[in-house]
C-alpha cells in the first residue's frame, strides 16, 4: 500500500496545541478521511465534560468500547494523562497519543491507519506534541502496558 501523507487542519492543530498548553480539551479523537487525505478531530472532551472521578483515558475507553461511531473502528486518540516522575515521584501530566486499531477493525482500515501513522506523527509534532509519548495498540491490555511507560 502506498504511503499517504495526511494533513491536520490549522484549526485542529491549534486545538491540539491548546491541549498541550492548558490540558483542555483533555481528549481528542482523530479520524482519517481517506478520500481527502486529511485527519480531523471528530470528538473532543473538555475537563468539564468528564464524569466525576473519571479521566481522559477512561473516557476514551468508553468511546472505544461502547459508542457505535468508534467501536471496532481505528482512530488516533490524543489525551492528557496524570502520572508521576519515576525518579522523583513528583506529579506530572503528559500528552499521550494512541493509534487505536482494534483487532476487530476491517482490514482496509487497519492498512490505511498503518500507512498514515508516520505522517500523522509529523502533523502532531506541528502542535508540539512529543513523539516519545506516541504508541500503537490493538487491545485495551496493550494500552494499559504502554501507559505504565509514560
Amino acid at each position: 500500500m502506498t504511503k499517504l501523507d495526511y494533513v491536520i487542519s490549522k484549526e485542529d492543530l491549534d486545538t491540539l496545541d491548546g491541549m498541550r498548553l492548558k490540558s483542555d480539551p483533555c481528549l481528542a479523537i482523530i479520524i482519517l478521511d481517506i478520500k481527502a487525505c486529511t485527519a480531523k478531530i471528530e470528538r473532543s472532551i473538555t475537563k468539564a465534560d468528564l464524569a466525576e472521578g473519571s479521566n481522559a483515558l477512561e473516557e476514551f475507553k468508553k468511546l472505544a468500547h461502547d459508542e457505535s461511531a468508534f467501536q471496532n473502528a481505528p482512530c488516533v486518540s490524543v489525551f492528557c494523562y496524570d502520572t508521576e516522575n519515576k525518579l522523583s515521584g513528583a506529579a506530572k501530566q503528559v500528552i499521550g497519543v494512541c493509534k487505536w486499531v482494534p483487532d476487530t477493525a476491517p482490514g482496509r482500515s487497519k492498512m490505511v491507519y498503518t500507512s498514515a501513522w508516520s505522517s500523522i506523527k509529523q502533523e502532531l509534532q506541528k502542535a508540539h506534541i512529543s513523539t516519545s509519548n506516541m504508541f500503537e495498540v490493538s487491545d485495551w491490555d496493550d494500552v494499559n502496558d504502554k501507559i505504565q511507560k509514560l
Side-chain angles (χ1 to χ4, degrees):
M1 176 169 242
T2 306
K3 179 183 168 289
L4 301 172
D5 289 326
Y6 281 80
V7 176
I8 299 175
S9 73
K10 177 165 179 10
E11 180 183 346
D12 283 352
L13 287 173
D14 289 345
T15 298
L16 293 168
D17 194 37
M19 174 188 255
R20 180 185 61 84
L21 295 171
K22 299 178 267 179
S23 303
D24 217 17
C26 58
L27 173 66
I29 305 292
I30 299 171
I31 301 293
L32 301 182
D33 180 336
I34 297 169
K35 291 180 182 174
C37 239
T38 60
K40 67 176 184 163
I41 295 176
E42 184 73 21
R43 169 92 54 93
S44 63
I45 295 177
T46 65
K47 289 180 186 178
D49 295 333
L50 291 175
E52 190 174 326
S54 186
N55 62 43
L57 206 52
E58 287 300 314
E59 291 299 315
F60 172 57
K61 184 177 183 178
K62 282 187 223 173
L63 290 173
H65 290 292
D66 300 333
E67 188 152 328
S68 61
F70 299 105
Q71 193 175 32
N72 301 324
C75 64
V76 176
S77 172
V78 183
F79 57 91
C80 298
Y81 183 71
D82 294 319
T83 187
E84 63 181 40
N85 183 298
K86 291 178 182 33
L87 297 176
S88 69
K92 70 175 185 173
Q93 187 174 70
V94 297
I95 300 294
V97 179
C98 168
K99 180 182 84 171
W100 173 255
V101 183
D103 292 330
T104 55
R108 184 170 193 274
S109 293
K110 289 179 185 182
M111 289 188 300
V112 168
Y113 274 77
T114 297
S115 70
W117 184 232
S118 178
S119 67
I120 295 300
K121 290 194 301 187
Q122 289 173 353
E123 287 292 297
L124 291 171
Q125 286 177 312
K126 292 177 183 176
H128 309 285
I129 295 176
S130 171
T131 58
S132 64
N133 296 330
M134 296 182 185
F135 54 90
E136 305 172 55
V137 293
S138 60
D139 65 47
W140 201 253
D141 289 336
D142 291 344
V143 174
N144 291 331
D145 290 344
K146 300 289 184 177
I147 289 297
Q148 298 303 317
K149 296 176 183 172
L150 293 182

